Amino acid sequence: MGKITYKRLKGSQSFRQRLLLAMLSSTPILIEDIRTDETWPGLHKHEISLLRLFETVTDDCNVEINETGTKVKYKPGIIMGGRQHRPHDCGVTRSIGYFLEPLIVLGLFAKKPLTITLKGITNDSKDPSVDTFKSIALPILKRFGVPSEGLELKIGSRGVPPNGGGEVTLSLPIVQSLTAVNWTDAGFVKRLRGITFSTKVSAQFENSMIRAARGIINPLLSDVHIFTDHRSGPQAGNSPGYGISLVAETTSGCFISADTTVSHTRDEETSGLADDEKKGLTPPEDIGHEIANVLLGEIAQSGVVDSTHQGLLFLLCALCPQDVSKVRVGKLSPHGVETLRNIRDLLNLKFIIKPDPNTESVFLKCVGFGMKNLSRKVS
């Protein structure tokens, strides 16, 4: 066996995408200088947890971390998938949404359909919520030819910062290859759906968010339904909080989302939490107003996905067969730009980018990497 040649990368940015693309392209990578100038150098807990998650769903991968955590060697293995009987603990430093994007893409190319339970934080203000992944990411996968059968995300219990306690189960089918898309028509909004949730607080918090959001959206759109999901007991996780996720569906089959979560940031008793301002929580009326305005801003950008899902969209385009995919997004988000750079560096694939002079949107075109699932038997 010859000596392994590692592709050298530096810094902590885009850690999860670098691992994902290294895995899919079978490229051994060496990441150096991980937060060497920071007070707490090296890998964070959620990054180590992501490495362990990749080890769980793959076989024969090799991970080496130096003593300070500032250097990681990663040699990809075989994506096995299958039913994982032991839940993976994502911890509480990042939410489950941080892990879902790379896991969803990785699982599509496994040897066996993947089913795995993830435990941790289901909703926070930093990462997309599990509600958004269920409403947005799964339909995006279907657009690229992923079958509906076996594609599911179940929310067993909610969990918000700081102590989490949530649990979701992800099921993914496998594909031989994705399907290239020509997806440039954002269409017009025809309906809006949403869901509010509350854990260990009064259900009235949800009603207040719904009234506030409707106050902004109803004058513009009549078909609006926002559902509630009040949790108590074990299904409410370990911390009090509440949040809202809104999804606009367009006439061309696009889904645009916005969500946020408010949680109690101190480990105190949860009794008497009805006085939200006393406990340092943003009033639910403000949350409803805020997220409705954020959604309207996302819709105005005229993209086929919202800014949160640009990275997932670009990854799927890049992994398509060697055929042309064309997509349209709003203003490129920092995450979207970083995704394009990672695709260039690890897949040697460049997108052609052309701004639309009439709007703030951007057209992107690329010829896919030609990713195929060689382990799948084709009948």
Side-chain angles (χ1 to χ4, degrees), residues 28 40 61 74 101 115 118 142 144 151 218 221 282-283 302 362:
W40 301 101
C61 78
Y74 180 73
E101 182 179 295
T115 299
L118 304 175
K142 294 175 187 177
F144 284 84
L151 182 62
N218 274 6
L221 187 67
T282 305
S302 302
V362 180

Side-chain angles (χ1 to χ4, degrees), residues 140-346:
I140 291 176
L141 294 181
K142 294 175 187 177
R143 175 77 68 158
F144 284 84
V146 178
S148 300
E149 185 178 356
L151 182 62
E152 190 177 30
L153 183 63
K154 290 182 179 180
I155 304 172
S157 59
R158 298 273 181 182
V160 300
N163 299 321
E167 182 174 299
V168 303
T169 300
L170 174 68
S171 297
L172 292 170
I174 56 175
V175 296
Q176 182 186 6
S177 65
L178 299 174
T179 303
V181 299
N182 188 346
W183 194 13
T184 58
D185 180 15
F188 299 95
V189 176
K190 64 179 182 179
R191 66 172 64 99
L192 184 139
R193 298 292 181 263
I195 186 168
T196 63
F197 79 90
S198 57
T199 61
K200 299 184 181 297
V201 298
S202 169
Q204 291 301 317
F205 281 52
E206 296 183 67
N207 296 329
S208 298
M209 287 186 286
I210 291 173
R211 283 196 299 271
R214 278 184 168 277
I216 293 175
I217 295 170
N218 274 6
L220 306 174
L221 187 67
S222 59
D223 190 354
V224 178
H225 292 283
I226 304 175
F227 304 93
T228 60
D229 182 20
H230 177 67
R231 301 284 180 121
S232 59
Q235 290 191 339
N238 302 324
S239 296
Y242 51 88
I244 182 171
S245 172
L246 299 179
V247 178
E249 183 181 353
T250 74
T251 52
S252 61
C254 300
F255 295 88
I256 309 298
S257 71
D259 71 46
T260 194
T261 296
V262 174
S263 60
H264 191 43
T265 56
R266 296 183 299 277
D267 294 325
E268 298 175 4
E269 294 297 324
T270 61
S271 58
L273 196 59
D275 187 356
D276 53 309
E277 291 189 353
K278 180 180 177 181
K279 294 294 183 180
L281 300 178
T282 305
E285 295 84 359
D286 293 354
I287 294 300
H289 284 127
E290 175 192 343
I291 211 63
N293 284 315
V294 170
L295 180 66
L296 293 178
E298 291 282 359
I299 294 170
Q301 293 195 42
S302 302
V304 298
V305 299
D306 53 72
S307 57
T308 302
H309 292 88
Q310 287 182 12
L312 177 61
L313 178 66
F314 299 157
L315 284 171
L316 294 173
C317 287
L319 296 172
C320 280
Q322 293 180 338
D323 195 1
V324 178
S325 287
K326 298 178 182 179
V327 294
R328 177 180 180 175
V329 299
K331 182 179 178 182
L332 286 172
S333 66
H335 178 54
V337 172
E338 196 65 32
T339 302
L340 293 174
R341 288 174 178 160
N342 292 326
I343 291 171
R344 178 199 62 194
D345 293 342
L346 286 158

Side-chain angles (χ1 to χ4, degrees), residues 6-13 15 18-19 28-37 40-44 47-48 51-52 62-75:
Y6 288 86
K7 184 176 182 66
R8 304 177 78 94
L9 303 168
K10 288 190 175 185
S12 61
Q13 66 274 17
F15 183 77
R18 286 173 167 178
L19 288 184
I29 58 173
L30 169 62
I31 306 177
E32 301 175 288
D33 300 335
I34 301 174
R35 301 186 182 92
T36 51
D37 297 329
W40 301 101
L43 293 172
H44 287 168
E47 292 165 334
I48 296 174
L51 283 166
R52 301 299 173 241
N62 183 262
V63 178
E64 296 180 25
I65 305 173
N66 70 348
E67 291 184 2
T68 59
T70 57
K71 182 187 296 186
V72 176
K73 276 187 176 181
Y74 180 73
K75 183 183 77 66

Side-chain angles (χ1 to χ4, degrees), residues 23-134:
M23 186 74 227
L24 294 173
S25 62
S26 300
T27 303
I29 58 173
L30 169 62
I31 306 177
E32 301 175 288
D33 300 335
I34 301 174
R35 301 186 182 92
T36 51
D37 297 329
E38 297 187 16
T39 304
W40 301 101
L43 293 172
H44 287 168
K45 290 182 179 179
H46 56 271
E47 292 165 334
I48 296 174
S49 180
L50 182 65
L51 283 166
R52 301 299 173 241
L53 177 59
F54 271 44
E55 286 182 316
T56 298
V57 299
T58 62
D59 188 25
D60 199 33
C61 78
N62 183 262
V63 178
E64 296 180 25
I65 305 173
N66 70 348
E67 291 184 2
T68 59
T70 57
K71 182 187 296 186
V72 176
K73 276 187 176 181
Y74 180 73
K75 183 183 77 66
I78 301 169
I79 311 170
M80 299 300 296
R83 180 175 292 275
Q84 305 297 320
H85 298 285
R86 180 179 297 180
H88 178 79
D89 188 354
C90 297
V92 293
T93 56
R94 290 292 289 265
S95 77
I96 292 172
Y98 171 85
F99 299 81
L100 279 177
E101 182 179 295
L103 182 61
I104 283 174
V105 179
L106 191 69
L108 295 177
F109 297 97
K111 291 175 70 70
K112 300 177 182 178
L114 174 65
T115 299
I116 187 170
T117 297
L118 304 175
K119 303 179 73 172
I121 293 172
T122 58
N123 302 77
D124 71 358
S125 58
K126 185 181 296 183
D127 298 301
S129 70
V130 293
D131 302 285
T132 297
F133 269 97
K134 187 173 183 177

